[in-house]
Amino acid sequence: MSTLKRLEGRTALVTGGSRGIGRGIAERLGRDGARVGVHYGSNEVAAKEVVAAIAAAGGSAFTLGQELSAPGAAEALWEEFDRHADGLDILVNNAGIGASEPFESIGEDDFDRLFAVNVRAPFFLAQQGARRLRDGGRIINISTGLAHAAAMPELIAYAMSKGALEVFTRDLSKTLGPRGITVNSVAPGIVDTDVNASWLRASDEAWAGAAALSALGRVGTPQDIADVVAFVASDDARWVTGHWIDATGGSLS
Ligand code: NAP
């Protein structure tokens, strides 16, 4: 755990900061001294808990609510952000949804919703966030190791959506590089969050099987991912851009 306030004076927005990996990221950036916008989709209570936790640790944070699957969501979220903050230093596009449905039967509505939340929202949040980002800022997109290894058939559409996010990351780094803004993605493996609870916590065998996928022999935690994001957000990572960072605990090797 860092005691250094290396993000003092910076403002961050973490989408989906109310739960899971996003909560871990929001709390870590708060501990590093950033003022954090904790975004949620529908669970305001959870977002307020995160703000309280950041405040209890001596930091500063505020909540923002916006469902990200609808057109115009990015604009509405930035309008709300502007009521709380004057400029931005770190945008973490973390909010995302999965879709575990067989290739043969996934429907167009589910496919469209997946791409609306996992691709369209980060694209337009970055587009409109770039105007607010100060030079030297950071955009960090939360991807998945599945964008870099053959996905199981029921995860093809999800992996595709994160693959699009990875291409966006690479190409946007060229657009924003002249302003000293870095754009990177962080790709987790299996992390113990609500989205996995129904199968991961269903049996000891399921947990052990997930742990065995990692070279380190355990399941990832939100803090594992948050610490990698904190590095990418810091000045120490100023020379890293346009790339993805493997945060799978060695699940891909
Ligand atoms: P999670 O526990 O389900 O939390 C998701 C967060 O995103 C919540 O704060 C939720 O807010 C918000 N969110 C979800 N759908 C939204 C929508 N339509 N509109 C607005 N906000 C929405 O997820 P997680 O496991 O922490 O995953 C976070 C990110 O990591 C995702 O991009 C995911 O694809 C990626 N990832 C996760 C894993 C893993 O094993 N967990 C592995 C690789 C990559 P509300 O609760 O208010 O809806």
Side-chain angles (χ1 to χ4, degrees):
M1 184 182 297
S2 169
T3 51
L4 250 177
K5 299 275 184 193
R6 58 183 178 176
L7 299 179
E8 197 83 61
R10 317 248 173 115
T11 300
L13 170 62
V14 182
T15 67
S18 56
R19 290 191 294 113
I21 293 170
R23 176 175 185 155
I25 295 169
E27 292 191 14
R28 173 64 207 259
L29 298 184
R31 278 203 306 279
D32 281 0
R35 183 160 180 255
V36 186
V38 179
H39 160 264
Y40 63 92
S42 57
N43 193 340
E44 186 179 9
V45 172
K48 284 184 167 167
E49 277 175 26
V50 179
V51 167
I54 291 172
S60 167
F62 55 92
T63 63
L64 304 117
Q66 189 61 50
E67 166 58 48
L68 292 177
S69 62
E75 195 175 349
L77 181 48
W78 285 122
E79 277 175 16
E80 195 179 347
F81 177 88
D82 290 342
R83 289 197 284 276
H84 292 275
D86 182 20
L88 176 75
D89 300 285
I90 302 157
L91 167 63
V92 185
N93 277 313
N94 163 79
I97 54 173
S100 182
E101 291 183 50
F103 167 65
E104 294 78 11
S105 59
I106 187 167
E108 291 188 6
D109 286 351
D110 285 344
F111 187 95
D112 286 349
R113 184 173 157 78
L114 199 57
F115 274 71
V117 176
N118 293 1
V119 184
R120 185 177 64 195
F123 182 98
F124 287 102
L125 282 167
Q127 181 203 61
Q128 295 164 32
R131 288 180 223 137
R132 292 158 171 95
L133 263 180
R134 285 182 269 270
D135 289 358
R138 300 278 183 267
I139 295 178
I140 303 166
N141 297 318
I142 305 303
S143 172
T144 172
L146 292 173
H148 303 278
M152 289 171 283
E154 65 273 22
L155 294 172
I156 286 177
Y158 171 69
M160 283 171 63
S161 72
K162 295 295 189 175
L165 194 61
E166 295 280 17
V167 172
F168 179 48
T169 300
R170 187 190 66 205
D171 293 359
L172 186 63
S173 67
K174 298 283 187 200
T175 306
L176 299 181
R179 293 176 50 201
I181 295 169
T182 69
V183 187
N184 291 289
S185 66
V186 171
I190 297 170
V191 181
D192 181 21
T193 67
D194 293 347
V195 84
N196 292 323
S198 63
W199 68 269
L200 186 58
R201 291 182 168 275
S203 66
D204 290 346
E205 290 71 29
W207 185 273
L213 291 174
S214 156
L216 299 169
R218 66 173 175 82
V219 173
T221 67
Q223 290 70 35
D224 290 328
I225 312 307
D227 289 351
V228 176
V229 170
F231 162 69
V232 179
S234 76
D235 291 341
D236 288 347
R238 64 193 171 278
W239 202 233
V240 179
T241 193
H243 225 286
W244 68 283
I245 296 177
D246 181 335
T248 68
S251 299
L252 300 178
S253 38

